[in-house]
Amino acid sequence: MNSDLLTEQALSFDLNEDQQLIKESIRDFVESRIAPTVIERDEACEFPHDIVNELGEMGMLGIYHDEKYGGGGSDAVSFAIVLEEIARWDASLALTVASHTSLCSAHIALAGNESQKQKYLSRLTTGEALGAWALTEPGSGSDASNMKTTAVKKGDKWILNGTKIFITQGSVGSIYVVLAVTDRSKGSKGVTAFVLEKGMKGFSYGPKLKKLGMNSSDTCEIYMEDVEVPAENQLGELGHGFIDTMKILDGGRIGIGSIAVGIARGAFEESVKYAQERSQFGAPISNFQAIQWKIVDMGVQVDAARLLVQRAAWLKDSGRPYTKEASMAKLFASEMCTKSCLEAIQIHGGYGYTKEYHVERFLRDAKLLEIGEGTSEVQRLVLARHLIK
């Protein structure tokens, strides 16, 4: 492909026919099936098993994975569109879809052999099984290479011991990708990935964590006490787990950026609607410059974040490096999202502080996006290495 054609494609902002169809399909589903009960799910901290199953039937849980393994064979741009549309109303559900698809499933798609893909990926892409990805530990968050979970080879099995925390789908998942140290002397090059299944002896999980937001997303600790994992469940090369993890996180950051765009778009749209309906001093507050400027800034920043996210997704689809662009998208979109949600509450005034309106939930959900899959501080470290040479 010549450089002129690449430039032409990069400057085209139109969705192709398939992407437009996916956008319309998921938007209709979100508005009819997800939006009406989102407040109740948040209040009850209830995981929406039925809705997740329906998303699986629609092909949304394996949208960009290979059709050979039950996936949709689509692209990262389409996945970003799906996450934005879901997060516009229910960020918890978008987080479920993102972590299942771009972390657990993606790791198996990247590093798994044919047998592992047939056994596990084909169940994940169709929604038959939910996936979880276990990297973070109580003592190693941003410093993920300092993990304590170990895997020791004994005969034809690996024995895993350790604790992982903040695991999305931790209690509702059935297929887990777990990172463990197999040779501590090699540092980050001594980490290996394994596939575990719910029900393995010694493998358990704790109670759901009580969180600020993302309440209907399932999050908990998982525990491994002398868990015997068959040798064939080693995922990828020995000692290659952390290297593969960095690649997985690049894709995951596109997902987090997409969710941020969705939440911020929700805050923006709800603010426009409220400002047109709410009257003070004899006029809709949308007539006041102070409100107009807030709405304008929100609209501009949502569009800017979407462009950064879709650029990173396009680069991924093109097979080009996108680490820098994914970090930029995740950093800008997540911080923009929190700011937009704060402004949305300010526009709503006292009503914005109540659970009757959606914007307080948007803010609670938004904050996670500045923390998960690499904090804003980590993103700046990543970007510094790329931008300062």
Side-chain angles (χ1 to χ4, degrees), residues 37-73:
T37 54
V38 63
I39 291 178
E40 288 83 351
R41 284 194 301 279
D42 176 71
E43 288 284 322
C45 300
E46 176 186 341
F47 186 84
H49 291 278
D50 52 347
I51 294 176
V52 172
N53 288 338
E54 291 175 50
L55 287 170
E57 293 170 1
M58 292 175 66
M60 297 300 171
L61 298 183
I63 188 168
Y64 65 75
H65 291 301
D66 196 326
E67 292 175 295
K68 179 180 178 182
Y69 308 108

PDB file of all heavy atoms in Angstrom, residues 37-73:
ATOM      1  N   THR A  37     -33.308   0.517  32.231  1.00  0.00           N
ATOM      2  CA  THR A  37     -33.129  -0.063  33.574  1.00  0.00           C
ATOM      3  C   THR A  37     -31.737   0.159  34.153  1.00  0.00           C
ATOM      4  O   THR A  37     -31.365  -0.480  35.137  1.00  0.00           O
ATOM      5  CB  THR A  37     -33.413  -1.582  33.522  1.00  0.00           C
ATOM      6  OG1 THR A  37     -32.597  -2.188  32.505  1.00  0.00           O
ATOM      7  CG2 THR A  37     -34.877  -1.850  33.208  1.00  0.00           C
ATOM      8  N   VAL A  38     -30.977   1.077  33.592  1.00  0.00           N
ATOM      9  CA  VAL A  38     -29.590   1.243  34.018  1.00  0.00           C
ATOM     10  C   VAL A  38     -29.486   1.781  35.442  1.00  0.00           C
ATOM     11  O   VAL A  38     -28.596   1.363  36.202  1.00  0.00           O
ATOM     12  CB  VAL A  38     -28.816   2.146  33.026  1.00  0.00           C
ATOM     13  CG1 VAL A  38     -29.392   3.555  32.973  1.00  0.00           C
ATOM     14  CG2 VAL A  38     -27.334   2.188  33.394  1.00  0.00           C
ATOM     15  N   ILE A  39     -30.373   2.679  35.834  1.00  0.00           N
ATOM     16  CA  ILE A  39     -30.315   3.221  37.198  1.00  0.00           C
ATOM     17  C   ILE A  39     -30.580   2.123  38.219  1.00  0.00           C
ATOM     18  O   ILE A  39     -29.907   2.038  39.257  1.00  0.00           O
ATOM     19  CB  ILE A  39     -31.310   4.394  37.362  1.00  0.00           C
ATOM     20  CG1 ILE A  39     -30.838   5.600  36.550  1.00  0.00           C
ATOM     21  CG2 ILE A  39     -31.443   4.771  38.840  1.00  0.00           C
ATOM     22  CD1 ILE A  39     -31.778   6.795  36.607  1.00  0.00           C
ATOM     23  N   GLU A  40     -31.556   1.258  37.927  1.00  0.00           N
ATOM     24  CA  GLU A  40     -31.880   0.169  38.854  1.00  0.00           C
ATOM     25  C   GLU A  40     -30.705  -0.789  39.012  1.00  0.00           C
ATOM     26  O   GLU A  40     -30.403  -1.243  40.125  1.00  0.00           O
ATOM     27  CB  GLU A  40     -33.113  -0.591  38.358  1.00  0.00           C
ATOM     28  CG  GLU A  40     -34.418   0.169  38.494  1.00  0.00           C
ATOM     29  CD  GLU A  40     -34.672   1.135  37.342  1.00  0.00           C
ATOM     30  OE1 GLU A  40     -33.753   1.340  36.508  1.00  0.00           O
ATOM     31  OE2 GLU A  40     -35.783   1.685  37.284  1.00  0.00           O
ATOM     32  N   ARG A  41     -29.999  -1.082  37.923  1.00  0.00           N
ATOM     33  CA  ARG A  41     -28.842  -1.981  38.008  1.00  0.00           C
ATOM     34  C   ARG A  41     -27.725  -1.353  38.828  1.00  0.00           C
ATOM     35  O   ARG A  41     -27.061  -2.027  39.614  1.00  0.00           O
ATOM     36  CB  ARG A  41     -28.327  -2.343  36.611  1.00  0.00           C
ATOM     37  CG  ARG A  41     -29.171  -3.353  35.872  1.00  0.00           C
ATOM     38  CD  ARG A  41     -28.430  -3.917  34.665  1.00  0.00           C
ATOM     39  NE  ARG A  41     -28.043  -2.899  33.715  1.00  0.00           N
ATOM     40  CZ  ARG A  41     -28.849  -2.366  32.800  1.00  0.00           C
ATOM     41  NH1 ARG A  41     -30.111  -2.763  32.731  1.00  0.00           N
ATOM     42  NH2 ARG A  41     -28.422  -1.447  31.945  1.00  0.00           N
ATOM     43  N   ASP A  42     -27.520  -0.073  38.642  1.00  0.00           N
ATOM     44  CA  ASP A  42     -26.486   0.626  39.409  1.00  0.00           C
ATOM     45  C   ASP A  42     -26.818   0.603  40.896  1.00  0.00           C
ATOM     46  O   ASP A  42     -25.943   0.340  41.729  1.00  0.00           O
ATOM     47  CB  ASP A  42     -26.370   2.069  38.910  1.00  0.00           C
ATOM     48  CG  ASP A  42     -25.382   2.886  39.721  1.00  0.00           C
ATOM     49  OD1 ASP A  42     -24.170   2.636  39.595  1.00  0.00           O
ATOM     50  OD2 ASP A  42     -25.824   3.758  40.487  1.00  0.00           O
ATOM     51  N   GLU A  43     -28.069   0.873  41.230  1.00  0.00           N
ATOM     52  CA  GLU A  43     -28.491   0.892  42.633  1.00  0.00           C
ATOM     53  C   GLU A  43     -28.342  -0.480  43.282  1.00  0.00           C
ATOM     54  O   GLU A  43     -27.918  -0.605  44.434  1.00  0.00           O
ATOM     55  CB  GLU A  43     -29.947   1.356  42.731  1.00  0.00           C
ATOM     56  CG  GLU A  43     -30.148   2.836  42.451  1.00  0.00           C
ATOM     57  CD  GLU A  43     -29.726   3.708  43.619  1.00  0.00           C
ATOM     58  OE1 GLU A  43     -29.957   3.306  44.771  1.00  0.00           O
ATOM     59  OE2 GLU A  43     -29.147   4.778  43.369  1.00  0.00           O
ATOM     60  N   ALA A  44     -28.693  -1.521  42.526  1.00  0.00           N
ATOM     61  CA  ALA A  44     -28.677  -2.879  43.068  1.00  0.00           C
ATOM     62  C   ALA A  44     -27.310  -3.542  42.961  1.00  0.00           C
ATOM     63  O   ALA A  44     -27.108  -4.635  43.490  1.00  0.00           O
ATOM     64  CB  ALA A  44     -29.719  -3.735  42.356  1.00  0.00           C
ATOM     65  N   CYS A  45     -26.349  -2.885  42.280  1.00  0.00           N
ATOM     66  CA  CYS A  45     -25.028  -3.491  42.003  1.00  0.00           C
ATOM     67  C   CYS A  45     -25.223  -4.873  41.364  1.00  0.00           C
ATOM     68  O   CYS A  45     -24.561  -5.856  41.747  1.00  0.00           O
ATOM     69  CB  CYS A  45     -24.211  -3.599  43.289  1.00  0.00           C
ATOM     70  SG  CYS A  45     -23.894  -2.013  44.093  1.00  0.00           S
ATOM     71  N   GLU A  46     -26.104  -4.933  40.405  1.00  0.00           N
ATOM     72  CA  GLU A  46     -26.545  -6.196  39.816  1.00  0.00           C
ATOM     73  C   GLU A  46     -25.882  -6.447  38.468  1.00  0.00           C
ATOM     74  O   GLU A  46     -25.962  -5.604  37.564  1.00  0.00           O
ATOM     75  CB  GLU A  46     -28.065  -6.167  39.651  1.00  0.00           C
ATOM     76  CG  GLU A  46     -28.669  -7.362  38.964  1.00  0.00           C
ATOM     77  CD  GLU A  46     -30.158  -7.181  38.710  1.00  0.00           C
ATOM     78  OE1 GLU A  46     -30.786  -6.318  39.364  1.00  0.00           O
ATOM     79  OE2 GLU A  46     -30.690  -7.893  37.844  1.00  0.00           O
ATOM     80  N   PHE A  47     -25.235  -7.588  38.328  1.00  0.00           N
ATOM     81  CA  PHE A  47     -24.624  -7.947  37.047  1.00  0.00           C
ATOM     82  C   PHE A  47     -25.712  -8.395  36.074  1.00  0.00           C
ATOM     83  O   PHE A  47     -26.498  -9.294  36.394  1.00  0.00           O
ATOM     84  CB  PHE A  47     -23.592  -9.060  37.230  1.00  0.00           C
ATOM     85  CG  PHE A  47     -22.827  -9.374  35.962  1.00  0.00           C
ATOM     86  CD1 PHE A  47     -21.717  -8.613  35.613  1.00  0.00           C
ATOM     87  CD2 PHE A  47     -23.219 -10.401  35.123  1.00  0.00           C
ATOM     88  CE1 PHE A  47     -21.012  -8.889  34.452  1.00  0.00           C
ATOM     89  CE2 PHE A  47     -22.520 -10.681  33.955  1.00  0.00           C
ATOM     90  CZ  PHE A  47     -21.405  -9.915  33.618  1.00  0.00           C
ATOM     91  N   PRO A  48     -25.763  -7.805  34.875  1.00  0.00           N
ATOM     92  CA  PRO A  48     -26.856  -8.088  33.940  1.00  0.00           C
ATOM     93  C   PRO A  48     -26.615  -9.333  33.078  1.00  0.00           C
ATOM     94  O   PRO A  48     -26.340  -9.232  31.873  1.00  0.00           O
ATOM     95  CB  PRO A  48     -26.910  -6.822  33.087  1.00  0.00           C
ATOM     96  CG  PRO A  48     -25.489  -6.358  33.042  1.00  0.00           C
ATOM     97  CD  PRO A  48     -24.877  -6.722  34.379  1.00  0.00           C
ATOM     98  N   HIS A  49     -26.730 -10.502  33.670  1.00  0.00           N
ATOM     99  CA  HIS A  49     -26.459 -11.742  32.938  1.00  0.00           C
ATOM    100  C   HIS A  49     -27.279 -11.839  31.656  1.00  0.00           C
ATOM    101  O   HIS A  49     -26.762 -12.249  30.603  1.00  0.00           O
ATOM    102  CB  HIS A  49     -26.760 -12.955  33.826  1.00  0.00           C
ATOM    103  CG  HIS A  49     -25.817 -13.125  34.974  1.00  0.00           C
ATOM    104  ND1 HIS A  49     -24.582 -13.721  34.836  1.00  0.00           N
ATOM    105  CD2 HIS A  49     -25.917 -12.756  36.281  1.00  0.00           C
ATOM    106  CE1 HIS A  49     -23.972 -13.733  36.011  1.00  0.00           C
ATOM    107  NE2 HIS A  49     -24.753 -13.163  36.900  1.00  0.00           N
ATOM    108  N   ASP A  50     -28.563 -11.477  31.726  1.00  0.00           N
ATOM    109  CA  ASP A  50     -29.427 -11.629  30.562  1.00  0.00           C
ATOM    110  C   ASP A  50     -29.005 -10.721  29.414  1.00  0.00           C
ATOM    111  O   ASP A  50     -28.955 -11.145  28.243  1.00  0.00           O
ATOM    112  CB  ASP A  50     -30.884 -11.369  30.944  1.00  0.00           C
ATOM    113  CG  ASP A  50     -31.084 -10.044  31.672  1.00  0.00           C
ATOM    114  OD1 ASP A  50     -30.080  -9.432  32.096  1.00  0.00           O
ATOM    115  OD2 ASP A  50     -32.255  -9.616  31.820  1.00  0.00           O
ATOM    116  N   ILE A  51     -28.653  -9.479  29.725  1.00  0.00           N
ATOM    117  CA  ILE A  51     -28.230  -8.547  28.676  1.00  0.00           C
ATOM    118  C   ILE A  51     -26.892  -8.974  28.077  1.00  0.00           C
ATOM    119  O   ILE A  51     -26.693  -8.904  26.855  1.00  0.00           O
ATOM    120  CB  ILE A  51     -28.146  -7.115  29.233  1.00  0.00           C
ATOM    121  CG1 ILE A  51     -29.540  -6.614  29.628  1.00  0.00           C
ATOM    122  CG2 ILE A  51     -27.522  -6.169  28.212  1.00  0.00           C
ATOM    123  CD1 ILE A  51     -29.540  -5.241  30.269  1.00  0.00           C
ATOM    124  N   VAL A  52     -25.975  -9.437  28.921  1.00  0.00           N
ATOM    125  CA  VAL A  52     -24.686  -9.913  28.411  1.00  0.00           C
ATOM    126  C   VAL A  52     -24.897 -11.100  27.477  1.00  0.00           C
ATOM    127  O   VAL A  52     -24.254 -11.195  26.422  1.00  0.00           O
ATOM    128  CB  VAL A  52     -23.746 -10.281  29.582  1.00  0.00           C
ATOM    129  CG1 VAL A  52     -22.481 -10.952  29.059  1.00  0.00           C
ATOM    130  CG2 VAL A  52     -23.383  -9.040  30.385  1.00  0.00           C
ATOM    131  N   ASN A  53     -25.805 -11.999  27.842  1.00  0.00           N
ATOM    132  CA  ASN A  53     -26.102 -13.135  26.959  1.00  0.00           C
ATOM    133  C   ASN A  53     -26.636 -12.658  25.612  1.00  0.00           C
ATOM    134  O   ASN A  53     -26.280 -13.204  24.556  1.00  0.00           O
ATOM    135  CB  ASN A  53     -27.124 -14.062  27.627  1.00  0.00           C
ATOM    136  CG  ASN A  53     -26.535 -14.846  28.788  1.00  0.00           C
ATOM    137  OD1 ASN A  53     -25.322 -15.031  28.868  1.00  0.00           O
ATOM    138  ND2 ASN A  53     -27.380 -15.303  29.690  1.00  0.00           N
ATOM    139  N   GLU A  54     -27.482 -11.642  25.633  1.00  0.00           N
ATOM    140  CA  GLU A  54     -28.036 -11.110  24.385  1.00  0.00           C
ATOM    141  C   GLU A  54     -26.953 -10.458  23.539  1.00  0.00           C
ATOM    142  O   GLU A  54     -26.955 -10.582  22.303  1.00  0.00           O
ATOM    143  CB  GLU A  54     -29.148 -10.112  24.696  1.00  0.00           C
ATOM    144  CG  GLU A  54     -30.402 -10.760  25.277  1.00  0.00           C
ATOM    145  CD  GLU A  54     -31.435  -9.734  25.698  1.00  0.00           C
ATOM    146  OE1 GLU A  54     -31.755  -8.844  24.880  1.00  0.00           O
ATOM    147  OE2 GLU A  54     -31.912  -9.809  26.854  1.00  0.00           O
ATOM    148  N   LEU A  55     -26.020  -9.771  24.182  1.00  0.00           N
ATOM    149  CA  LEU A  55     -24.900  -9.190  23.439  1.00  0.00           C
ATOM    150  C   LEU A  55     -24.058 -10.281  22.790  1.00  0.00           C
ATOM    151  O   LEU A  55     -23.550 -10.117  21.669  1.00  0.00           O
ATOM    152  CB  LEU A  55     -24.038  -8.335  24.369  1.00  0.00           C
ATOM    153  CG  LEU A  55     -24.634  -6.988  24.796  1.00  0.00           C
ATOM    154  CD1 LEU A  55     -23.801  -6.362  25.910  1.00  0.00           C
ATOM    155  CD2 LEU A  55     -24.710  -6.031  23.605  1.00  0.00           C
ATOM    156  N   GLY A  56     -23.906 -11.408  23.495  1.00  0.00           N
ATOM    157  CA  GLY A  56     -23.195 -12.544  22.922  1.00  0.00           C
ATOM    158  C   GLY A  56     -23.901 -13.073  21.691  1.00  0.00           C
ATOM    159  O   GLY A  56     -23.266 -13.375  20.671  1.00  0.00           O
ATOM    160  N   GLU A  57     -25.212 -13.173  21.763  1.00  0.00           N
ATOM    161  CA  GLU A  57     -25.999 -13.650  20.622  1.00  0.00           C
ATOM    162  C   GLU A  57     -25.909 -12.692  19.441  1.00  0.00           C
ATOM    163  O   GLU A  57     -25.979 -13.118  18.284  1.00  0.00           O
ATOM    164  CB  GLU A  57     -27.458 -13.836  21.049  1.00  0.00           C
ATOM    165  CG  GLU A  57     -27.663 -14.970  22.053  1.00  0.00           C
ATOM    166  CD  GLU A  57     -29.058 -14.977  22.649  1.00  0.00           C
ATOM    167  OE1 GLU A  57     -29.875 -14.108  22.265  1.00  0.00           O
ATOM    168  OE2 GLU A  57     -29.335 -15.858  23.498  1.00  0.00           O
ATOM    169  N   MET A  58     -25.736 -11.409  19.731  1.00  0.00           N
ATOM    170  CA  MET A  58     -25.595 -10.403  18.667  1.00  0.00           C
ATOM    171  C   MET A  58     -24.202 -10.394  18.052  1.00  0.00           C
ATOM    172  O   MET A  58     -23.967  -9.731  17.040  1.00  0.00           O
ATOM    173  CB  MET A  58     -25.887  -9.012  19.232  1.00  0.00           C
ATOM    174  CG  MET A  58     -27.326  -8.771  19.633  1.00  0.00           C
ATOM    175  SD  MET A  58     -27.512  -7.144  20.431  1.00  0.00           S
ATOM    176  CE  MET A  58     -27.146  -6.025  19.058  1.00  0.00           C
ATOM    177  N   GLY A  59     -23.256 -11.101  18.674  1.00  0.00           N
ATOM    178  CA  GLY A  59     -21.889 -11.124  18.174  1.00  0.00           C
ATOM    179  C   GLY A  59     -21.019 -10.002  18.701  1.00  0.00           C
ATOM    180  O   GLY A  59     -19.907  -9.773  18.199  1.00  0.00           O
ATOM    181  N   MET A  60     -21.480  -9.304  19.748  1.00  0.00           N
ATOM    182  CA  MET A  60     -20.747  -8.151  20.261  1.00  0.00           C
ATOM    183  C   MET A  60     -19.634  -8.524  21.232  1.00  0.00           C
ATOM    184  O   MET A  60     -18.821  -7.678  21.593  1.00  0.00           O
ATOM    185  CB  MET A  60     -21.715  -7.180  20.950  1.00  0.00           C
ATOM    186  CG  MET A  60     -22.757  -6.589  20.022  1.00  0.00           C
ATOM    187  SD  MET A  60     -22.000  -5.660  18.657  1.00  0.00           S
ATOM    188  CE  MET A  60     -23.426  -5.337  17.622  1.00  0.00           C
ATOM    189  N   LEU A  61     -19.566  -9.785  21.672  1.00  0.00           N
ATOM    190  CA  LEU A  61     -18.525 -10.192  22.620  1.00  0.00           C
ATOM    191  C   LEU A  61     -17.294 -10.774  21.931  1.00  0.00           C
ATOM    192  O   LEU A  61     -16.333 -11.157  22.592  1.00  0.00           O
ATOM    193  CB  LEU A  61     -19.091 -11.206  23.618  1.00  0.00           C
ATOM    194  CG  LEU A  61     -20.232 -10.709  24.503  1.00  0.00           C
ATOM    195  CD1 LEU A  61     -20.646 -11.779  25.505  1.00  0.00           C
ATOM    196  CD2 LEU A  61     -19.853  -9.428  25.227  1.00  0.00           C
ATOM    197  N   GLY A  62     -17.330 -10.826  20.627  1.00  0.00           N
ATOM    198  CA  GLY A  62     -16.162 -11.293  19.884  1.00  0.00           C
ATOM    199  C   GLY A  62     -16.067 -10.580  18.553  1.00  0.00           C
ATOM    200  O   GLY A  62     -15.630 -11.151  17.557  1.00  0.00           O
ATOM    201  N   ILE A  63     -16.468  -9.322  18.560  1.00  0.00           N
ATOM    202  CA  ILE A  63     -16.719  -8.596  17.320  1.00  0.00           C
ATOM    203  C   ILE A  63     -15.515  -8.532  16.386  1.00  0.00           C
ATOM    204  O   ILE A  63     -15.658  -8.632  15.173  1.00  0.00           O
ATOM    205  CB  ILE A  63     -17.261  -7.182  17.630  1.00  0.00           C
ATOM    206  CG1 ILE A  63     -17.721  -6.494  16.350  1.00  0.00           C
ATOM    207  CG2 ILE A  63     -16.248  -6.353  18.395  1.00  0.00           C
ATOM    208  CD1 ILE A  63     -18.529  -5.238  16.601  1.00  0.00           C
ATOM    209  N   TYR A  64     -14.304  -8.386  16.920  1.00  0.00           N
ATOM    210  CA  TYR A  64     -13.160  -8.265  16.013  1.00  0.00           C
ATOM    211  C   TYR A  64     -12.280  -9.510  15.999  1.00  0.00           C
ATOM    212  O   TYR A  64     -11.217  -9.520  15.369  1.00  0.00           O
ATOM    213  CB  TYR A  64     -12.328  -7.010  16.325  1.00  0.00           C
ATOM    214  CG  TYR A  64     -11.634  -6.982  17.668  1.00  0.00           C
ATOM    215  CD1 TYR A  64     -10.502  -7.741  17.913  1.00  0.00           C
ATOM    216  CD2 TYR A  64     -12.088  -6.144  18.673  1.00  0.00           C
ATOM    217  CE1 TYR A  64      -9.848  -7.699  19.132  1.00  0.00           C
ATOM    218  CE2 TYR A  64     -11.436  -6.085  19.902  1.00  0.00           C
ATOM    219  CZ  TYR A  64     -10.325  -6.858  20.120  1.00  0.00           C
ATOM    220  OH  TYR A  64      -9.681  -6.805  21.332  1.00  0.00           O
ATOM    221  N   HIS A  65     -12.710 -10.568  16.646  1.00  0.00           N
ATOM    222  CA  HIS A  65     -11.927 -11.795  16.617  1.00  0.00           C
ATOM    223  C   HIS A  65     -12.246 -12.623  15.371  1.00  0.00           C
ATOM    224  O   HIS A  65     -13.279 -12.429  14.717  1.00  0.00           O
ATOM    225  CB  HIS A  65     -12.165 -12.604  17.894  1.00  0.00           C
ATOM    226  CG  HIS A  65     -11.582 -11.953  19.113  1.00  0.00           C
ATOM    227  ND1 HIS A  65     -10.242 -11.661  19.234  1.00  0.00           N
ATOM    228  CD2 HIS A  65     -12.165 -11.511  20.277  1.00  0.00           C
ATOM    229  CE1 HIS A  65     -10.020 -11.078  20.395  1.00  0.00           C
ATOM    230  NE2 HIS A  65     -11.158 -10.976  21.042  1.00  0.00           N
ATOM    231  N   ASP A  66     -11.356 -13.546  15.074  1.00  0.00           N
ATOM    232  CA  ASP A  66     -11.429 -14.339  13.847  1.00  0.00           C
ATOM    233  C   ASP A  66     -12.735 -15.127  13.773  1.00  0.00           C
ATOM    234  O   ASP A  66     -13.155 -15.767  14.744  1.00  0.00           O
ATOM    235  CB  ASP A  66     -10.231 -15.301  13.817  1.00  0.00           C
ATOM    236  CG  ASP A  66      -9.980 -15.887  12.441  1.00  0.00           C
ATOM    237  OD1 ASP A  66     -10.953 -16.115  11.702  1.00  0.00           O
ATOM    238  OD2 ASP A  66      -8.801 -16.122  12.122  1.00  0.00           O
ATOM    239  N   GLU A  67     -13.356 -15.083  12.602  1.00  0.00           N
ATOM    240  CA  GLU A  67     -14.606 -15.830  12.383  1.00  0.00           C
ATOM    241  C   GLU A  67     -14.395 -17.326  12.558  1.00  0.00           C
ATOM    242  O   GLU A  67     -15.330 -18.053  12.897  1.00  0.00           O
ATOM    243  CB  GLU A  67     -15.145 -15.526  10.981  1.00  0.00           C
ATOM    244  CG  GLU A  67     -15.634 -14.104  10.805  1.00  0.00           C
ATOM    245  CD  GLU A  67     -16.052 -13.801   9.384  1.00  0.00           C
ATOM    246  OE1 GLU A  67     -15.164 -13.828   8.506  1.00  0.00           O
ATOM    247  OE2 GLU A  67     -17.251 -13.563   9.151  1.00  0.00           O
ATOM    248  N   LYS A  68     -13.167 -17.777  12.343  1.00  0.00           N
ATOM    249  CA  LYS A  68     -12.836 -19.197  12.498  1.00  0.00           C
ATOM    250  C   LYS A  68     -13.139 -19.677  13.909  1.00  0.00           C
ATOM    251  O   LYS A  68     -13.447 -20.853  14.134  1.00  0.00           O
ATOM    252  CB  LYS A  68     -11.358 -19.405  12.177  1.00  0.00           C
ATOM    253  CG  LYS A  68     -10.850 -20.830  12.322  1.00  0.00           C
ATOM    254  CD  LYS A  68      -9.373 -20.911  11.976  1.00  0.00           C
ATOM    255  CE  LYS A  68      -8.820 -22.319  12.153  1.00  0.00           C
ATOM    256  NZ  LYS A  68      -7.360 -22.385  11.846  1.00  0.00           N
ATOM    257  N   TYR A  69     -13.060 -18.752  14.881  1.00  0.00           N
ATOM    258  CA  TYR A  69     -13.302 -19.108  16.284  1.00  0.00           C
ATOM    259  C   TYR A  69     -14.606 -18.492  16.811  1.00  0.00           C
ATOM    260  O   TYR A  69     -14.753 -18.267  18.002  1.00  0.00           O
ATOM    261  CB  TYR A  69     -12.113 -18.667  17.139  1.00  0.00           C
ATOM    262  CG  TYR A  69     -10.790 -19.174  16.603  1.00  0.00           C
ATOM    263  CD1 TYR A  69      -9.891 -18.303  16.003  1.00  0.00           C
ATOM    264  CD2 TYR A  69     -10.456 -20.532  16.666  1.00  0.00           C
ATOM    265  CE1 TYR A  69      -8.685 -18.761  15.497  1.00  0.00           C
ATOM    266  CE2 TYR A  69      -9.264 -21.002  16.152  1.00  0.00           C
ATOM    267  CZ  TYR A  69      -8.378 -20.112  15.569  1.00  0.00           C
ATOM    268  OH  TYR A  69      -7.195 -20.579  15.053  1.00  0.00           O
ATOM    269  N   GLY A  70     -15.517 -18.220  15.903  1.00  0.00           N
ATOM    270  CA  GLY A  70     -16.817 -17.703  16.300  1.00  0.00           C
ATOM    271  C   GLY A  70     -16.909 -16.202  16.412  1.00  0.00           C
ATOM    272  O   GLY A  70     -17.948 -15.663  16.816  1.00  0.00           O
ATOM    273  N   GLY A  71     -15.824 -15.502  16.089  1.00  0.00           N
ATOM    274  CA  GLY A  71     -15.827 -14.048  16.178  1.00  0.00           C
ATOM    275  C   GLY A  71     -16.536 -13.395  15.012  1.00  0.00           C
ATOM    276  O   GLY A  71     -16.955 -14.059  14.056  1.00  0.00           O
ATOM    277  N   GLY A  72     -16.637 -12.078  15.083  1.00  0.00           N
ATOM    278  CA  GLY A  72     -17.340 -11.340  14.040  1.00  0.00           C
ATOM    279  C   GLY A  72     -16.466 -10.959  12.868  1.00  0.00           C
ATOM    280  O   GLY A  72     -16.974 -10.521  11.834  1.00  0.00           O
ATOM    281  N   GLY A  73     -15.143 -11.092  13.020  1.00  0.00           N
ATOM    282  CA  GLY A  73     -14.238 -10.761  11.922  1.00  0.00           C
ATOM    283  C   GLY A  73     -14.240  -9.295  11.553  1.00  0.00           C
ATOM    284  O   GLY A  73     -13.867  -8.928  10.441  1.00  0.00           O
TER     285      GLY A  73
END
